[in-house]
Amino acid sequence: MAKRIEFAQHGGADVLNLVDYSPVNPADNEIQIENRAIGINFIDTYVRSGLYPVAKLPSGLGTEAAGVVVKTGAHVTGFKPGDRVVYAQGPLGAYSDVHNVPESAVAHLPDGITFEQAAASSLKGMTVYYLFHQTYQLKQNEVFLFHAAAGGVGLIACQWAKALGAKMIGTVGSADKALRAKEAGAWDVINYQSEDIAARVKDITHGEKVNVVYDSVGQSTWLASLDSLKRRGLMVSFGNASGPVSGVNLGILNQKGGLYVTRPSLGVYVTNRAELDQASNALFDMILSGNVKVDVPQSQIFALKDAQKAHETIESRKTQGSSLLIP
């Protein structure tokens, strides 16, 4: 028997329950992984709440973890028991002791990266990779806006931008988070609790504004993001932390300067082995070079049984950087 987190109905964190289950043998193309550290992502709260509904309940939760291969399916050729691995796009159920994941979603984990670092950064770091290199190619010295700069994705983005020589203006919700983002490499910060985002962007850029805005907050920052863009700038909406952007009249894009908008996700950019290797190796290189440091505060590391508390904590907006579950 093993343990995993399940939910039988959509709702708040209290719908999450620790249950016993018997892992089945991996299918022909699957790898069975003993999880050592599990990544908690804000998207997990969307799945739990029903914003992103699941096909069948009860359901497991989570798509990201790092651990050790214990079994392989008959057609698996790239992995063997004992291999250190990480996955960020597994089927729901990563909040567990043991999880079966398709070979195509699993990457070999270099020895120089811990399970905790991998589980805390894989999904978030590959997200930063596609945002900065594929959705829009950031240039050296380019000024841009990135919301939630002290979050899990945001702190990696601060460091990655600094390594690229780009100038990231990060939005944060407190003085402590402003300091953390600056320490991580943000060029400038805006406290959205006390400052007007678009006005500050205009001030920081001496009236020029920016070519690109990366926005994972959603509803509450939509207009501020558009108002921070230059004529024909790009709005990258890649999350819904404050609620989804809906009911948009496309005419507003013309009114604010013929703007472009895209709504990407990691699942659109990493769809096969070659794309996974490209994105994961870029992240591993950043970590191994020291350009990206992944440090999870002890207060944001939870036992698997405390998944409810973990979700309540990240939804309180009091966390900085990544959070983990440990089986």
Side-chain angles (χ1 to χ4, degrees):
M1 296 292 286
K3 300 282 189 182
R4 78 171 191 161
I5 296 294
E6 277 188 4
F7 61 104
Q9 62 186 55
H10 293 294
D14 59 343
V15 303
L16 300 179
N17 295 298
L18 183 70
V19 301
D20 292 317
Y21 81 109
S22 298
V24 298
N25 285 325
D28 286 350
N29 67 336
E30 288 183 334
I31 299 170
Q32 187 169 96
I33 299 165
E34 181 183 275
N35 292 330
R36 300 293 177 83
I38 300 160
I40 305 173
N41 294 288
F42 213 90
I43 195 172
D44 300 341
T45 70
Y46 303 159
V47 175
R48 185 209 72 218
S49 70
L51 179 63
Y52 294 173
V54 298
K56 183 180 179 182
L57 293 173
S59 171
L61 189 61
T63 62
E64 176 182 39
V68 176
V69 176
V70 290
K71 293 181 182 178
T72 58
H75 296 164
V76 172
T77 59
F79 298 86
K80 64 183 185 305
D83 285 351
R84 302 172 76 252
V85 295
V86 61
Y87 59 93
Q89 297 170 286
L92 289 177
Y95 287 18
S96 61
D97 292 334
V98 177
H99 195 33
N100 293 345
V101 182
E103 179 180 18
S104 59
V106 181
H108 285 281
L109 182 61
D111 288 338
I113 300 175
T114 67
F115 295 122
E116 292 78 11
Q117 288 174 316
S121 68
S122 186
L123 187 147
K124 300 172 186 72
M126 290 195 295
T127 295
V128 174
Y129 171 74
Y130 84 70
L131 290 174
F132 286 4
H133 294 275
Q134 296 176 309
T135 304
Y136 180 91
Q137 182 71 55
L138 282 176
K139 304 173 187 66
Q140 190 171 19
N141 292 317
E142 182 167 19
V143 182
F144 68 100
L145 181 65
F146 197 104
H147 289 289
V153 177
L155 286 179
I156 293 175
C158 289
Q159 298 175 78
W160 206 303
K162 184 178 180 180
L164 293 174
K167 297 178 177 179
M168 175 171 151
I169 302 171
T171 70
V172 295
S174 70
D176 286 346
K177 290 185 176 184
L179 180 61
R180 183 79 188 276
K182 288 280 281 187
E183 289 174 345
W187 180 65
D188 210 333
V189 291
I190 299 170
N191 186 336
Y192 62 79
Q193 298 283 13
S194 58
E195 300 177 288
D196 182 289
I197 293 171
R200 282 284 290 128
V201 168
K202 194 172 181 180
D203 179 55
I204 292 167
T205 61
H206 305 292
E208 290 191 8
K209 302 199 274 191
V210 297
N211 290 320
V212 62
V213 175
Y214 296 102
D215 190 339
S216 63
V217 177
Q219 189 178 65
S220 68
T221 50
W222 168 250
L223 289 177
S225 293
L226 298 185
D227 288 336
S228 299
L229 284 165
K230 293 180 182 179
R231 180 171 60 94
R232 297 174 64 193
L234 174 64
M235 164 65 169
V236 184
S237 176
F238 70 102
N240 316 285
S242 69
V245 177
S246 59
V248 175
N249 177 357
L250 289 179
I252 196 171
L253 303 178
N254 175 57
Q255 295 163 16
K256 293 183 179 295
L259 304 178
Y260 295 86
V261 176
T262 184
R263 181 60 174 87
S265 67
L266 185 62
V268 172
Y269 281 88
V270 176
T271 65
N272 56 47
R273 166 57 57 188
E275 291 169 349
L276 173 60
D277 288 345
Q278 181 181 24
S280 60
N281 288 336
L283 172 62
F284 296 155
D285 288 346
M286 278 291 198
I287 295 173
L288 292 171
S289 68
N291 283 318
V292 168
K293 294 181 173 62
V294 184
D295 300 312
V296 181
Q298 194 61 41
S299 62
Q300 292 172 212
I301 299 177
F302 303 87
L304 180 62
K305 66 182 178 62
D306 294 325
Q308 285 189 16
K309 182 180 178 183
H311 273 223
E312 290 167 353
T313 302
I314 65 169
E315 288 181 303
S316 74
R317 308 294 175 85
K318 295 176 182 176
T319 60
Q320 297 181 18
S322 300
S323 300
L324 291 174
L325 293 172
I326 303 297

